[in-house]
Amino acid sequence: MVSGKVEKILDERLKNGESLLIGRADDRRDLSQLPPDQWRSRTVSADAIRRLCISANTSDRLVIDGVRVVGALDLSALTVDRALVLSNCLFTDRITLVDAQLSALDFSDSTFQQDLSAKNLRCNALIMRNLVAKECIDLRYAAIDGPLECEEAIFEATSPESLIVRGATINRNVSLKRASVSGAVNAGALTVHGALDCTDMTIGGTAWVEGEIDPFGEPRGRGIGAARVAFILDYARVDGSVRMNGSSSRNSFTAGGLVRMFGSHMGALNCDGAKIDSVDGICLNLERAVIANGAHLRHGFAANGMIRLHAAEIGDALEMDGATLSAPRGCALNATRVHVAGPVMLRGGFNADGCVRFVNATIGSFVDCSKATFRKANSPSESSWPDDPPVGDVALSFRGTSIGGNLEMNCGFEAVGCVVLSGTRIKESLILGGRSPARIENDRLAVNAFNLVVDQAIVIRNVKVHGILDMRQASCTVLEDEIASWPPLKMGSKAASPRSGRVRKILHGRRRAFPRTRSRKIGSYRSGVLLAGLTYDVLLSPDFGWNRRRAIFKKTIDWTSPQPYLQLAKVY
């Protein structure tokens, strides 16, 4: 029931330029949970508020605090020169601000029981701190000249978008710090002339059903790469940084579905400590995104699903120190054709369960994989994306990539699966082991460095390689190695059928024999070295003497090729 006494007091105070400050009815966050008796003396009609908005009062603000507003509040197409402060209020019905032009609007600590429709809203600032919204908040194509603040707000709608800011323009910062979203956030084509701050934000996510009609009457398309969606930021432009990080080890940005930023432009990306879970497909999509500065996914960042950086451009470093990626059925990190102006850091406890792929990429500085672990996918025949080739048994790939500094795989580097360096161009050195240990293990082919080009040194020391090391047609200035780090020649149990005595001798360890009946394919070997075509100008090794150096030829699969012998003769 509307309280006429409250409305009369409201009219009198506002005519005198005063505010109606009744105060919060209860300490409970959700004002809709309060019993009706507590609102009996503090209830006003939506029509009364509308009348006050269009009145000729000369005060610069209309402040109403601690009341229940009954009825639909419709301010569509109105022009209000005063700031509206409707804080600590309970709105029982729909709020419509379509095409409205307002000075400023503040809904701090209020509760909306129905939806808010504010398409094409024009205002100087929109404040919704500590808001509780039971239904969808629609801010499509809004133009806000100041900030959009939704700190610690709760958006409970799940069908499926809880907050829609698609196509909106915000001329200052957007704050969603510590906000809680039960469904998804749709911010496609959002323009922010400031920063987008989602620190400690929690997004539950919602199912993406292909062909389902969205709230705007359009069918949902296919090809998002995930069964659930949490945050859509496609083709957005954010002048400042996009922060989807955690403020501490206890608090983090959490998303229960795909976070998609396809084709977006942003000043920087900070996802330190974030937790993104989309086990059925892609969890973070930055395909064709342009990041002016660095991209940070460090310090406890965890992704359950694929991270896609296809053709993205990063103006500084890609840092993933201590990150954990899990996509055991396919590709954990797909950075095909990515352009990184600075270094790539996959170090300090970085752990990837699934293929990490930098194919035909351009990296302007060094790549550091020290203290990192890479594991191949459990289902190598599957592809995580319709247009991507199967990952095979690859754990880490830099095929066709240009690296402007060192490629370091040391300090406890471990790869369970093939490390692919075929066609890679390294402008400084490849350090595999070196002064600190490394380990690579795979059935048959462990390291594929065919046609690798290194301008300075290839260092193969203090490393254990279980499998085949393919260095054919590779080149460098300095080869620094030790014989013990080259894998021994071992035959697979299915390498040949023992049709003759010669074959039986091979299977029992006679390495020099090469029977005519046996296939010359690499796959017939379980371990060994391929050296045909490897060139270098200087050899640095504790095993430099011929009596010790010739032991490497007992490990070669292509021992019949004369080139490795002739190359070695050049450096003596």
Side-chain angles (χ1 to χ4, degrees):
M1 179 181 294
V2 177
S3 175
K5 182 178 180 180
V6 174
E7 291 192 3
K8 185 177 179 180
I9 296 174
L10 179 61
D11 287 335
E12 292 177 353
R13 289 190 176 182
L14 295 176
K15 285 179 182 179
N16 297 326
E18 301 177 7
S19 302
L20 179 61
L21 303 175
I22 299 179
R24 194 168 182 84
D26 194 278
D27 291 335
R28 276 177 276 194
R29 180 74 179 274
D30 187 354
L31 296 177
S32 65
Q33 297 179 353
L34 299 181
D37 292 345
Q38 294 196 24
W39 297 108
R40 185 170 300 171
S41 60
R42 52 172 73 206
T43 299
V44 298
S45 67
D47 290 338
I49 294 179
R50 176 183 168 84
R51 289 195 306 269
L52 292 170
C53 291
I54 62 178
S55 65
N57 193 288
T58 58
S59 62
D60 58 349
R61 291 202 310 167
L62 170 61
V63 181
I64 302 175
D65 181 89
V67 302
R68 180 176 66 171
V69 181
V70 296
L73 178 58
D74 189 354
L75 302 181
S76 299
L78 283 184
T79 299
V80 181
D81 296 330
R82 291 181 292 169
L84 303 181
V85 180
L86 303 171
S87 57
N88 289 307
C89 295
L90 172 64
F91 294 84
T92 61
D93 294 284
R94 188 181 193 192
I95 302 174
T96 305
L97 303 174
V98 176
D99 295 322
Q101 297 186 29
L102 309 177
S103 175
L105 189 57
D106 188 348
F107 287 114
S108 296
D109 301 294
S110 294
T111 298
F112 297 166
Q113 288 188 289
Q114 299 296 326
D115 64 303
L116 167 67
S117 178
K119 181 180 178 182
N120 294 322
L121 170 69
R122 302 291 184 267
C123 66
N124 293 331
L126 179 56
I127 312 299
M128 295 190 289
R129 288 191 294 263
N130 297 305
L131 175 76
V132 177
K134 301 290 186 178
E135 298 294 338
C136 178
I137 303 296
D138 181 7
L139 298 173
R140 283 178 297 155
Y141 313 115
I144 302 175
D145 196 40
L148 171 60
E149 298 185 11
C150 301
E151 295 180 11
E152 300 188 38
I154 298 176
F155 303 93
E156 298 183 356
T158 58
S159 57
E161 291 91 346
S162 300
L163 174 62
I164 304 171
V165 286
R166 190 177 74 178
T169 299
I170 316 297
N171 286 333
R172 293 186 64 185
N173 296 333
V174 176
S175 178
L176 290 164
K177 294 175 63 175
R178 297 180 295 279
S180 176
V181 180
S182 299
V185 178
N186 187 345
L190 173 69
T191 299
V192 180
H193 298 297
L196 173 58
D197 192 350
C198 302
T199 303
D200 298 336
M201 185 179 181
T202 301
I203 309 175
T206 186
W208 180 278
V209 181
E210 180 184 339
E212 184 182 56
I213 304 301
D214 67 11
F216 319 115
E218 301 174 0
R220 299 190 184 281
R222 57 182 301 178
I224 68 166
R228 294 179 63 84
V229 63
F231 205 129
I232 298 177
L233 201 62
D234 293 350
Y235 302 106
R237 290 184 175 272
V238 181
D239 293 345
S241 61
V242 175
R243 295 191 284 270
M244 298 181 175
N245 60 307
S247 61
S248 66
S249 58
R250 295 183 179 181
N251 301 314
S252 64
F253 173 89
T254 305
L258 167 67
V259 177
R260 180 180 166 105
M261 291 181 269
F262 186 99
S264 295
H265 289 65
M266 62 196 77
L269 177 63
N270 184 355
C271 293
D272 290 349
K275 316 292 182 185
I276 306 177
D277 186 359
S278 181
V279 68
D280 295 327
I282 300 175
C283 66
L284 177 59
N285 191 345
L286 288 162
E287 181 173 351
R288 301 186 184 277
V290 177
I291 304 173
N293 294 295
H296 298 164
L297 297 84
R298 311 167 298 179
H299 307 323
F301 173 86
N304 193 3
M306 181 172 75
I307 298 176
R308 187 169 175 83
L309 293 172
H310 179 85
E313 296 183 17
I314 301 175
D316 197 354
L318 172 60
E319 300 185 33
M320 302 186 71
D321 301 14
T324 301
L325 313 184
S326 178
R329 293 188 297 175
C331 195
L333 173 60
N334 186 349
T336 301
R337 294 175 53 200
V338 70
H339 180 91
V340 182
V344 172
M345 303 179 189
L346 312 174
R347 62 185 184 181
F350 176 90
N351 191 314
D353 189 2
C355 176
V356 173
R357 177 184 283 165
F358 286 83
V359 176
N360 298 325
T362 302
I363 300 172
S365 187
F366 64 88
V367 177
D368 190 351
C369 298
S370 58
K371 296 183 181 179
T373 302
F374 301 84
R375 295 184 184 85
K376 62 184 177 181
N378 296 333
S379 304
S381 61
E382 295 186 11
S383 177
S384 301
W385 187 252
D387 297 330
D388 292 342
V391 297
D393 62 347
V394 176
L396 175 62
S397 176
F398 289 98
R399 179 171 60 85
T401 293
S402 174
I403 300 175
N406 293 332
L407 173 54
E408 301 178 15
M409 302 179 183
N410 52 11
C411 297
F413 170 86
E414 181 177 354
V416 180
C418 182
V419 176
V420 179
L421 301 173
S422 60
T424 304
R425 173 69 183 270
I426 302 175
K427 295 184 179 180
E428 292 188 9
S429 299
L430 168 63
I431 303 173
L432 188 56
R435 296 182 179 180
S436 52
R439 181 174 178 270
I440 302 174
E441 177 182 354
N442 192 36
D443 297 333
R444 299 179 179 174
L445 189 59
V447 179
N448 180 2
F450 179 83
N451 201 28
L452 168 68
V453 178
V454 179
D455 289 356
Q456 296 183 10
I458 295 179
V459 180
I460 304 177
R461 303 186 67 175
N462 200 12
V463 58
K464 294 182 179 180
V465 180
H466 300 275
I468 295 172
L469 175 55
D470 185 358
M471 298 291 293
R472 291 176 299 164
Q473 306 302 322
S475 64
C476 63
T477 302
V478 178
L479 176 62
E480 181 179 349
D481 72 346
E482 58 183 5
I483 298 298
S485 292
W486 295 92
L489 183 66
K490 294 182 181 180
M491 302 300 303
S493 60
K494 296 181 180 180
S497 175
R499 300 177 182 176
S500 64
R502 293 184 68 192
V503 176
R504 281 194 292 273
K505 289 180 181 179
I506 293 170
L507 296 179
H508 284 85
R510 186 176 177 181
R511 297 167 180 167
R512 290 301 181 94
F514 199 99
R516 298 175 183 175
T517 57
R518 187 174 62 188
S519 170
R520 302 177 76 95
K521 295 181 179 179
I522 298 175
S524 61
Y525 295 87
R526 192 171 69 244
S527 178
V529 183
L530 290 165
L531 293 177
L534 171 64
T535 59
Y536 46 91
D537 298 329
V538 179
L539 176 63
L540 297 178
S541 174
D543 306 308
F544 186 80
W546 170 250
N547 290 335
R548 301 177 63 181
R549 189 69 194 174
R550 62 182 180 177
I552 193 173
F553 298 113
K554 297 181 180 181
K555 301 183 177 188
T556 57
I557 297 171
D558 52 353
W559 61 271
T560 57
S561 173
Q563 191 276 337
Y565 300 91
L566 298 175
Q567 172 61 47
L568 186 59
K570 290 181 179 180
V571 300
Y572 276 110

